[in-house]
Amino acid sequence: MPAFVVAAVVGLLFFLGYRYYSSYLAAKVYGLDPAFVTPAHEFADGVDYIPTNKHVLFGHHFTSVAGAAPIVGPAIAVFWGWGPALAWIVLGTIFAAGVHDFGSLVVSVRHKAKSIGTLAGSVINARARMLFLVIIFFLLTLVNAVFAVVIGNLFVANPGAVIPILVEIPLAMAIGQYIYRTRSSALLPSIAGVILLYALILVGKAFPISLDALAETLGVEQTRNVWVVLLFAYTFVASRIPVWVLLQPRDYINSHQLFIALGVIGLGVIVGANRIQAPVVNDVPEGSPSFFPFLFITIACGAISGFHSLVASGTSSKQLDKEPDARYVGYMGAVGEGSLATGAVLATTAGVAASRADWDALYPDFATASGGAVGNFVRGVAEFAGNLGVPVDLATIFAAVVVISFAATTMDTGVRLQRYVVQEIGEIAKVGVLARNLTLATTVAVLIPLGMALLPGGGEAGYTFGVLWQLFGTTNQLTAGLALSVIAVWVTRSGRNPTVVLVPLIFLLTMTTWALVVNLRRFIEAGQWVLAPLDAIIFVLAMWLIVEAGLALRTAFRERPPYDTALPREAEGAPASVVSRANPSSPADGRPVGEPSQDDVP
């Protein structure tokens, strides 16, 4: 199968999904209102709440949710064949991720930019809030620890990528200062930043930076661990400063990298006429995990991922300028993830191998497929770039810079979100110093994942990446189920049809609980007495979620007012309660502007 045919068909389907399905969601399910006063305006503080141009916010949202996950998951999942992997990416992006990411952003904006965990308490009940916080804390800890390990490994393997990545930080800060001080467009400065970033690849190639000598001097066995410590020291600072200083300009630069990377993959497969060498459906060795249910756990980012709801309701909702922008930021962000995941499938099935025998050698079993995922993607993209005349060594550094940029942004945002969660837990536990002291909350948010990243054991990958990461997929999809539950209850209470939210919710919870049961039996049989009880706890949490969500939905359906009387429309796509709050001259429910109505906080 020619790779460019697959890329063209997927691109067309994603276009149709954004053009028509997201439009339906915006008008009929989420009822976006151009006059709604978003939290970015209502609580503007110059630090976290900042009205932001939708293109800049897309850059932040996309690169924060992207990380390395939409690359790693598909690069592993092609082990079952490119057909199932691609089908889940396309269907998941259009009908699950778009609904989930878009909905999480809208619900948070309608509730004063509260996190999805707090929303669970408001929309479902207080027990759901605590359930959500426990899961979120574990998920963020895993993500931050493992992404630090992944970035550290990439720095060690690609020392030529160090200088471009390091220089990107002051470069982004300079661009941020320029935009903030002059109030000018971010487009041209950020494009100049990308050009300079890629020019630095030549410098990085000429002056590769290795920390082997420093690690040896410090007596650290693995050089990667030195990078891990430096990365968490960086995030301690980066997660505390205003978003416009570094987060927004760097993410906007990185969003350009997405289009450049996709352009390299698209043009590369056309010029090189690469053909997919992997089978459509692979005859996997006996004893391998079956793609039902594990395909839907392995590919999270790129199809649907609960981590996205944390970003949407954590940082993105605080920067949304106008409510209709949520469609572009949320749904298009999901499409961007699906596009990157499709690129990962092509790189690991058409770019990295020249024949079926080459591909079989890279994917002989599931463990080998998992261990070589990132490397296979980097080499595949380097092959596509080589088709365009880029030398292989430079193309390899380019691919590494792209992956590290996305992963570092996710880690940066992840630590900031972890800080929010720590403060929220401090508030619930009535530990005032933890809730109010930014330095203490950030320290907790950094030290716990740092400690997990440095845990010994688990072979070369370390204990967290080599062992505990096996729990990431189910934990992440359980988080997505929680977010979809919150969205479904809110849509139902708003008098709209929640079917498009319920379908992916039921499917995802079925796959997740199925995978948890299979994994539990496997962990017990293998005598893995750390993973088995943790998996059992997550299974109990999943059952708890199903019960709480079911009860909340039943109540919401019972209390749901008739559509005609509940939602008289004053403007297309806008409930009267929302319009009345945004337009004080024509109140429909008698509430002053800015106060919650039925459509907002229950």
Side-chain angles (χ1 to χ4, degrees):
M1 171 71 76
F4 77 87
V5 173
V6 174
V9 171
V10 172
L12 176 62
L13 293 173
F14 283 165
F15 168 77
L16 295 175
Y18 179 73
R19 174 65 182 83
Y20 295 104
Y21 195 58
S22 72
S23 178
Y24 167 77
L25 293 173
K28 302 298 183 183
V29 180
Y30 299 139
L32 300 188
D33 174 18
F36 187 85
V37 180
T38 64
H41 290 278
E42 187 176 358
F43 306 115
D45 62 1
V47 179
D48 293 320
Y49 295 84
I50 300 176
T52 303
N53 176 281
K54 69 177 182 180
H55 300 293
V56 176
L57 183 55
F58 169 81
H60 158 69
H61 181 80
F62 169 74
T63 53
S64 294
V65 300
I71 295 169
V72 176
I76 296 173
V78 294
F79 171 72
W80 290 294
W82 66 268
L86 201 60
W88 171 230
I89 288 170
V90 172
L91 295 175
T93 295
I94 295 174
F95 297 108
V99 174
H100 171 272
D101 297 11
F102 186 6
S104 299
L105 183 55
V106 172
V107 176
S108 177
V109 166
R110 288 291 181 92
H111 292 78
K112 303 183 184 303
K114 292 179 179 177
S115 72
I116 199 73
T118 302
L119 289 176
S122 302
V123 176
I124 299 180
N125 57 43
R127 295 189 302 273
R129 181 188 184 188
M130 183 55 66
L131 166 65
F132 219 143
L133 285 177
V134 171
I135 295 172
I136 290 172
F137 190 87
F138 183 61
L139 177 63
L140 286 172
T141 302
L142 272 181
V143 168
N144 293 332
V146 167
F147 274 42
V149 171
V150 169
I151 296 170
N153 283 335
L154 286 169
F155 274 143
V156 172
N158 302 277
V162 174
I163 286 181
I165 294 295
L166 288 181
V167 175
E168 186 184 11
I169 296 172
L171 179 65
M173 295 180 75
I175 292 174
Q177 287 290 334
Y178 173 78
I179 296 170
Y180 184 77
R181 303 297 177 193
T182 63
R183 302 292 179 186
S184 56
S185 169
L187 181 60
L188 292 179
S190 60
I191 290 176
V194 173
I195 294 172
L196 183 55
L197 175 67
Y198 288 157
L200 287 167
I201 289 177
L202 297 172
V203 180
K205 179 176 178 294
F207 302 98
I209 294 180
S210 169
L211 298 184
D212 289 345
L214 178 60
E216 185 176 351
T217 302
L218 297 173
V220 178
E221 186 176 345
Q222 291 182 302
T223 304
R224 177 192 70 210
N225 288 341
V226 178
W227 281 114
V228 167
V229 173
L230 292 175
L231 284 165
F232 275 106
Y234 154 76
T235 57
F236 179 85
V237 177
S239 65
R240 292 161 50 90
I241 58 180
V243 293
W244 63 266
V245 174
L246 174 60
L247 196 65
Q248 286 183 347
R250 191 187 60 187
D251 293 357
Y252 197 39
I253 291 174
N254 289 339
S255 71
H256 296 323
Q257 290 203 68
L258 163 70
F259 297 112
I260 293 171
L262 292 178
V264 167
I265 292 172
L267 289 175
V269 297
I270 293 174
V271 173
N274 298 79
R275 299 181 68 84
I276 294 179
Q277 303 298 336
V280 178
V281 178
N282 192 22
D283 185 14
V284 300
E286 188 177 354
S288 302
S290 61
F291 81 79
F292 266 107
F294 289 102
L295 171 66
F296 309 97
I297 306 301
T298 303
I299 300 181
C301 297
I304 180 171
S305 166
F307 181 76
H308 298 188
S309 70
L310 309 186
V311 175
S313 66
T315 52
S316 300
S317 62
K318 295 177 176 60
Q319 302 173 59
L320 195 74
D321 184 21
K322 301 172 184 174
E323 194 174 78
D325 294 349
R327 177 189 170 206
Y328 177 74
V329 175
Y331 198 96
M332 186 60 88
V335 169
E337 284 257 304
S339 301
L340 189 56
T342 302
V345 168
L346 297 180
T348 54
T349 58
V352 74
S355 66
R356 171 66 187 270
D358 290 344
W359 189 86
D360 286 341
L362 294 172
Y363 286 86
D365 52 60
F366 191 74
T368 305
S370 301
V374 175
N376 290 338
F377 172 80
V378 170
R379 289 193 293 276
V381 172
E383 170 68 21
F384 294 147
N387 293 341
L388 303 177
V390 180
V392 173
D393 51 354
L394 288 180
T396 302
I397 297 175
F398 159 75
V401 166
V402 171
V403 176
I404 293 172
S405 297
F406 289 167
T409 301
T410 299
M411 186 181 168
D412 188 344
T413 302
V415 171
R416 188 180 288 262
L417 294 172
Q418 186 86 324
R419 189 242 298 169
Y420 294 164
V421 172
V422 169
Q423 291 179 294
E424 195 167 339
I425 291 174
E427 181 182 327
I428 294 174
K430 300 188 184 306
V431 181
V433 66
L434 192 60
R436 294 189 299 271
N437 191 308
L438 192 64
T439 300
L440 179 60
T442 308
T443 301
V444 173
V446 165
L447 288 183
I448 292 177
L450 170 61
M452 289 188 66
L454 298 178
L455 278 176
E460 183 67 22
Y463 191 79
T464 299
F465 195 15
V467 179
L468 293 180
W469 189 245
Q470 296 177 64
L471 301 172
F472 168 78
T474 50
T475 307
N476 191 34
Q477 300 308 61
L478 183 58
T479 305
L482 271 166
L484 286 170
S485 301
V486 171
I487 298 167
V489 172
W490 176 75
V491 169
T492 304
R493 284 180 177 171
S494 301
R496 306 186 190 98
N497 189 340
T499 302
V500 296
V501 186
L502 291 176
V503 171
L505 168 63
I506 294 170
F507 178 79
L508 201 62
L509 287 180
T510 301
M511 292 299 111
T512 302
T513 51
W514 183 358
L516 283 166
V517 171
V518 174
N519 272 340
L520 181 59
R521 186 175 63 186
R522 181 167 62 89
F523 294 151
I524 292 175
E525 290 175 350
Q528 293 179 311
W529 300 114
V530 174
L531 292 178
L534 287 174
D535 186 272
I537 291 172
I538 297 171
F539 177 77
V540 170
L541 294 177
M543 293 298 102
W544 185 6
L545 161 67
I546 292 172
V547 172
E548 296 288 357
L551 292 173
L553 279 169
R554 186 182 65 173
T555 303
F557 273 109
R558 284 179 175 174
E559 298 176 351
R560 181 186 188 188
Y563 179 82
D564 289 341
T565 57
L567 295 169
R569 303 279 167 158
E570 295 185 3
E572 184 179 358
S577 56
V578 173
V579 173
S580 67
R581 183 184 51 250
N583 181 4
S585 64
S586 58
D589 62 0
R591 293 181 174 84
V593 175
E595 285 195 2
S597 68
Q598 174 187 329
D599 203 50
D600 297 314
V601 183

